Amino acid sequence: MPTRTISLPLAAAICSAALVLAGCSSTESQGKSGDVSLVEDGKLLNCTGLPYEPFEYKDKKTKKIVGFDIDLVDLVAKKLKVKQEVVDTPFEGIESGEVYTAGKCDLSAAGMTITPERKEKFDFSAPYFEATQALVTKKGSGIDSLAPLKGKKLGVQQDTTGQKYARDKAKGATLIDYEDLGLMLTGLETGEVQAAINDNGVLYDWVKANPKYEVSTEFDTGEQYGIGLKKGNKELRKVVNDVLSDAKADGTYDKIYKKWFGEEANAQ
C-alpha cells in the first residue's frame, strides 16, 4: 500500500485546528511538574552507567538499582512528585552530553566529576561529593605509585577523569581502556592489567569485598561530583540544588552518606 502524504499547507491547517482540542507540536510531548519540564510525564529519568558501586548498581538479591546517587535523586523525584526511573547508559554518552540532546534523560547522577570540558556540553548541579583518584592493585604487588607501572598494564575506564590522569601521569605504562568499572576490575582480577585507576570511593568499596586487593595510594586531584543536566534547564537545576542544600541542612544527606559509606560525611 502506498504511503499517504499531506501537503505542508494542509498539515499546518490541521495542526492549527487541532490546537483547540489537544495541541499540536513537531516535537515529542514533554512531561511537566510545576514549572519544571521533564522528558516524560510522571517520571524523572536518570541516566547513569552501571555498575558504579556504591553510587549506582543492581542489587544481586532484589535486582533493583540502588546506591548513593539513586537515593539522592529519589529526593529530587519526591520534591517533583514523580518517580525516578534509571536509564542504564554507557558513560561515554553521559560524558558527551548526548543523553540530553537526544532527550534520553532529565539528569545524570553518575559519580561524575565536574570539569570545565563537561560544563561546555551540559550544566551541573552544585557539587555534592568530594573525590580523588586512587590506585587499586593485588596485595603484595609492590605497586604503590605510578612509577612501578612502567612497562606494565594499567586499567582505566573510558571517558573518565581517571583515564585522563593516567594519560598525563602514568609515563611508560600501557593503558587498557574498559567501557565500565565492572569490566575494569574484572581485568585486574584476571591479570589482564597489573593495576587500575579510578575514583577512590568506588575502589575502597570494592576492596572491602575483595580482600586480596588493596587501594595502594591516592592522588590528590581535588575532584567534586555534580549531577548533570541539559543546558538551560534552570528550573530543574534549581530544584536539584535546593534539594541537595536542604538534605545537607536537615541531616538527610549525612544519613544517606553513612548508609552507603559506613561513616559520617567529611566536609561534603
Side-chain angles (χ1 to χ4, degrees):
M1 180 180 293
T3 301
R4 296 181 182 272
T5 60
I6 302 177
S7 66
L8 289 177
L10 179 58
I14 293 172
C15 183
S16 298
L19 280 170
V20 178
L21 299 175
C24 188
S25 173
S26 62
T27 60
E28 291 184 8
S29 61
Q30 288 191 323
K32 198 83 172 175
S33 179
D35 295 328
V36 177
S37 295
L38 301 174
V39 173
E40 291 187 24
D41 190 40
K43 297 179 181 179
L44 181 64
L45 301 183
N46 174 19
C47 281
T48 193
L50 304 176
Y52 206 66
E53 192 172 350
F55 293 90
E56 42 268 332
Y57 67 100
K58 182 177 285 188
D59 184 271
K60 293 180 181 178
K61 293 182 180 179
T62 66
K63 306 302 180 183
K64 293 181 179 179
I65 297 173
V66 298
F68 179 74
D69 284 349
I70 306 303
D71 282 357
L72 290 181
V73 175
D74 271 340
L75 298 179
V76 179
K78 183 178 179 180
K79 181 74 172 180
L80 293 171
K81 298 180 180 179
V82 297
K83 293 289 185 181
Q84 174 183 184
E85 182 173 305
V86 177
V87 182
D88 185 16
T89 306
F91 191 72
E92 178 184 359
I94 297 172
E95 199 268 346
S96 69
E98 180 186 348
V99 293
Y100 311 111
T101 56
K104 195 170 184 177
C105 61
D106 299 296
L107 51 75
S108 293
M112 180 165 53
T113 298
I114 300 170
T115 69
E117 295 80 11
R118 290 170 180 168
K119 288 173 75 173
E120 290 179 2
K121 305 169 190 173
F122 51 91
D123 290 337
F124 275 102
S125 70
Y128 71 90
F129 190 87
E130 307 287 339
T132 194
Q133 294 305 307
L135 194 68
V136 62
T137 66
K138 196 168 187 177
K139 282 184 177 177
S141 69
I143 302 173
D144 57 1
S145 69
L146 294 177
L149 285 165
K150 185 175 182 180
K152 295 183 172 62
K153 294 180 180 179
L154 173 63
V156 297
Q157 184 180 349
Q158 292 175 4
D159 300 300
T160 62
T161 50
Q163 182 191 51
K164 183 179 185 302
Y165 187 84
R167 284 175 176 171
D168 293 342
K169 305 293 185 180
K171 305 301 181 183
T174 299
L175 303 189
I176 306 299
D177 294 349
Y178 295 93
E179 184 176 343
D180 60 47
L181 176 71
L183 293 173
M184 186 190 78
L185 294 172
T186 297
L188 179 63
E189 289 182 290
T190 60
E192 186 174 14
V193 295
Q194 283 70 59
I197 189 170
N198 211 294
D199 292 0
N200 57 346
V202 292
L203 296 185
Y204 277 117
D205 186 80
W206 185 75
V207 298
K208 287 178 185 176
N210 295 273
K212 292 182 179 179
Y213 299 86
E214 65 179 348
V215 175
S216 60
T217 191
E218 292 187 8
F219 310 103
D220 186 14
T221 55
E223 299 176 43
Q224 293 180 312
Y225 290 172
I227 294 174
L229 308 105
K230 184 178 181 179
K231 266 194 175 300
N233 195 342
K234 296 178 181 179
E235 293 81 7
L236 179 56
R237 186 173 185 270
K238 183 180 186 306
V239 171
V240 172
N241 284 342
D242 287 348
V243 167
L244 291 175
S245 179
D246 290 346
K248 291 181 179 182
D250 65 18
T252 302
Y253 180 94
D254 288 333
K255 290 178 182 178
I256 294 173
Y257 190 97
K258 190 169 184 178
K259 171 184 174 181
W260 293 106
F261 299 100
E263 58 186 10
E264 298 292 337
N266 295 317
Q268 293 295 333

